[in-house]
């Protein structure tokens, strides 16, 4: 059984026991979160889709930790003009473990 759900403007495919790195949530470690924007559920060979979401379907997960990803370097450069800019960015994330899919 797997489900596709939406959070943080992105879609994630999840099965029970999966570990996912999603956009940062305002949830503490060891807290349980529920995602109710489920687009698709597949169980026992049957596929159920929503328009746009499935009523009553939920994906439950436990928050493991929150943190920041690896640093991404951004460098802008224009030749012969003396223009150089170096910047960096670390994207915040929340690591979750999917515990249940309720369709």
């Amino acid at each position: 059984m797997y489900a596709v759900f939406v959070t943080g403007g992105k879609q994630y495919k999840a099965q029970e026991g999966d570990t996912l790195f999603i956009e940062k949530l305002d949830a503490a470690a060891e807290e349980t979160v529920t995602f109710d924007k489920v687009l698709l559920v597949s169980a026992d060979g049957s596929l159920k889709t929503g328009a746009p979401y499935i009523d009553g379907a939920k994906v439950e997960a436990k928050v493991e930790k929150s943190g920041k990803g690896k640093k991404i370097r951004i460098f802008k450069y224009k030749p012969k003009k003396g223009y150089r800019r170096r910047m960096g960015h670390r994207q915040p994330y929340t690591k979750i473990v999917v515990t249940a899919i309720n369709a």
Side-chain angles (χ1 to χ4, degrees):
M1 174 181 233
Y2 70 89
V4 176
F5 66 96
V6 177
T7 181
K10 297 181 175 83
Q11 298 176 3
Y12 298 93
K13 179 182 174 186
Q15 291 181 325
E16 288 186 23
D18 280 357
T19 301
L20 300 173
F21 291 88
I22 63 172
E23 292 294 315
K24 187 169 180 1
L25 299 174
D26 291 329
E30 303 300 321
E31 192 174 318
T32 302
V33 292
T34 303
F35 304 102
D36 57 350
K37 293 184 178 179
V38 179
L39 299 172
L40 179 135
V41 173
S42 174
D44 302 327
S46 65
L47 198 65
K48 188 175 180 183
T49 59
Y53 306 120
I54 300 173
D55 292 331
K58 295 178 188 170
V59 175
E60 294 177 2
K62 185 181 82 169
V63 175
E64 276 198 0
K65 68 174 189 171
S66 293
K68 289 185 178 180
K70 290 179 67 174
K71 181 168 270 196
I72 297 171
R73 296 282 182 181
I74 298 109
F75 190 75
K76 296 180 179 181
Y77 173 79
K78 292 187 181 175
K80 303 178 199 143
K81 302 296 176 193
Y83 176 79
R84 294 184 186 123
R85 294 289 177 266
R86 185 177 66 204
M87 295 175 278
H89 177 73
R90 292 180 67 189
Q91 184 69 27
Y93 68 85
T94 299
K95 182 179 179 183
I96 61 169
V97 176
V98 178
T99 56
I101 297 172
N102 302 322

